Amino acid sequence: MRVTIYEVGPRDGLQNEDVVVPVEVKREFIGRLADAGLTTIEATSFVHPTWVPQLADAAELLDGLRRVPGVRYPVLVPNERGLDRALEHGVTEIAIFGSATETFARRNLNRSLDSQFEMFEPVVARALEHGLRVRAYVSMCFADPWEGQVAPAQVVRVGRRLLDLGCYELSLGDTIGVGTPAHVTALLEAFGAEGVGPERLAVHFHDTYGQALANTLTALRMGVTTVDASTGGIGGCPYAKSATGNLATEDLVWMLDGLGIETGVDLRSLTATSLWLAGKLGRPSPSRVVQALAKEI
Ligand code: HMG
Ligand code: MG
């Protein structure tokens, strides 16, 4: 078995830092991730720059990025304006990001739940015409800070509509990190019952309540083979109060190595990158594996 790690540190990680990281540090971060063996690295977002000032330098970042052959560098795109900007800067892969709940759709996208699809539809259609690959995220798959628990059926309804636009994969986001393994099982079963199998799904766990690794193992056992993670465990969503860092890529790689599952990632080199980045961010990495290995590096 091989697991694909979809690295989101440069996007989900850096979008939530108080400091705006200089563009050359971001480029070095992404370069180090590729050198450590990661093959899918979500580089940045073409969202409204006043909504996420931390990633306002998306165009500049991509223009000067050293691209390693064989590595994919998807970016987040919410609307046609974002797609135009992404196309101008050589992007070949994008991700749209929908919400399973009404409140978060309004807070994160300034749209109602239903009208988010009107925003995404022309983005996906035009991206496919240009030969781009399009992934979809769905956020608040487990609970929402304003609406409470979210029923699997609601997530499946939204997820299905996003996939039907023409997306190759749906990443299930536990944006605020409250999910637990039984809930993961119920959600994946609900997708399966509607004909969406684990080969079309990825998982995106934030680690707020320390459940990300247990949830990931549950998903792997149910056949999911793409896992989103953030080097050093940085991350969160500025529009979801109480969201903290993503599952740390190092924690994931440690577990996968132990299970004998191939990732192609060099754990020591990744950890060294997190220690280097922590120096730039002015705070230690929350990853347990980074903290443990730091003593040896
Ligand atoms: P809006 O204000 O409703 O946009 O924002 P609008 O369509 O009304 O346009 C207003 C103005 O903004 C126009 O300019 C547009 O051109 C401009 P004007 O004509 O007034 O001069 N504009 C843009 N400029 C640059 N780039 C753009 C863009 N779009 C419009 N793309 C919008 C709507 C969706 C853009 C806004 O709400 C937004 O940017 N939201 C993004 C929020 C965000 O990035 N959140 C974090 C990512 S999601 C996440 O982290 C969750 C995830 O990790 C999964 C999980 O954990 O669950 C993926
Ligand atoms: Mg996220």
Side-chain angles (χ1 to χ4, degrees):
M1 182 185 186
R2 202 182 158 90
V3 166
T4 300
I5 300 176
Y6 186 104
E7 168 67 37
V8 296
R11 194 280 301 171
D12 208 342
L14 296 184
Q15 78 179 8
N16 206 41
E17 287 298 322
D18 292 337
V19 294
V20 178
V21 174
V23 70
E24 60 277 9
V25 173
K26 291 178 178 171
R27 290 196 195 112
E28 185 174 348
F29 181 34
I30 294 170
R32 281 170 168 254
L33 296 174
D35 292 341
L38 289 160
T39 53
T40 307
I41 306 171
E42 197 167 74
T44 186
S45 295
F46 283 94
V47 296
H48 196 295
T50 58
W51 281 63
V52 184
Q54 292 89 337
L55 304 183
D57 58 3
E60 196 189 347
L61 169 78
L62 290 188
D63 286 349
L65 189 66
R66 171 177 67 89
R67 285 179 170 75
V68 174
V71 176
R72 295 150 50 194
Y73 299 94
V75 301
L76 282 198
V77 164
N79 56 10
E80 288 198 89
R81 176 81 188 95
L83 179 64
D84 291 338
R85 292 173 59 211
L87 289 170
E88 280 163 23
H89 296 280
V91 164
T92 57
E93 202 166 318
I94 64 166
I96 58 169
F97 48 104
S99 170
T101 67
E102 187 68 50
T103 314
F104 190 63
R106 290 183 189 276
R107 289 193 178 243
N108 199 45
L109 297 167
N110 204 20
R111 297 288 180 280
S112 67
L113 184 74
D114 271 333
S115 64
Q116 67 181 337
F117 300 105
E118 287 158 28
M119 180 168 76
F120 295 139
E121 193 183 350
V123 173
V124 179
R126 283 185 49 214
L128 294 176
E129 273 166 32
H130 280 85
L132 271 55
R133 266 159 68 91
V134 187
R135 169 187 235 226
Y137 285 96
V138 58
S139 287
M140 302 299 176
C141 288
F142 296 84
D144 168 298
W146 303 277
E147 298 184 19
Q149 290 277 311
V150 178
Q154 185 177 336
V155 181
V156 173
R157 256 194 319 276
V158 170
R160 189 71 270 170
R161 284 180 77 178
L162 292 170
L163 280 173
D164 288 348
L165 295 176
C167 301
Y168 74 93
E169 174 176 272
L170 184 69
S171 176
L172 305 175
D174 184 4
T175 321
I176 55 171
V178 293
T180 51
H183 200 157
V184 174
T185 303
L187 185 59
L188 294 177
E189 282 175 355
F191 271 103
E194 290 299 319
V196 182
E199 69 289 346
R200 301 288 306 278
L201 299 172
V203 287
H204 180 104
F205 294 119
H206 286 260
D207 204 22
T208 320
Y209 287 82
Q211 305 296 301
L213 212 45
N215 289 340
T216 299
L217 184 59
T218 304
L220 293 174
R221 286 187 170 147
M222 294 185 73
V224 171
T225 57
T226 300
V227 179
D228 299 3
S230 159
T231 289
I234 56 174
C237 177
Y239 293 99
K241 61 178 190 217
S242 79
T244 65
N246 291 78
L247 167 64
T249 311
E250 290 89 344
D251 296 15
L252 175 62
V253 171
W254 181 268
M255 180 179 80
L256 294 174
D257 281 353
L259 290 167
I261 296 175
E262 187 62 34
T263 62
V265 175
D266 182 323
L267 186 55
R268 273 164 201 282
S269 145
L270 210 55
T271 303
T273 296
S274 283
L275 295 172
W276 164 83
L277 186 68
K280 304 285 179 194
L281 297 176
R283 66 181 183 96
S285 159
S287 159
R288 301 286 285 271
V289 171
V290 170
Q291 287 164 24
L293 290 179
K295 300 180 186 99
E296 298 172 20
I297 283 179

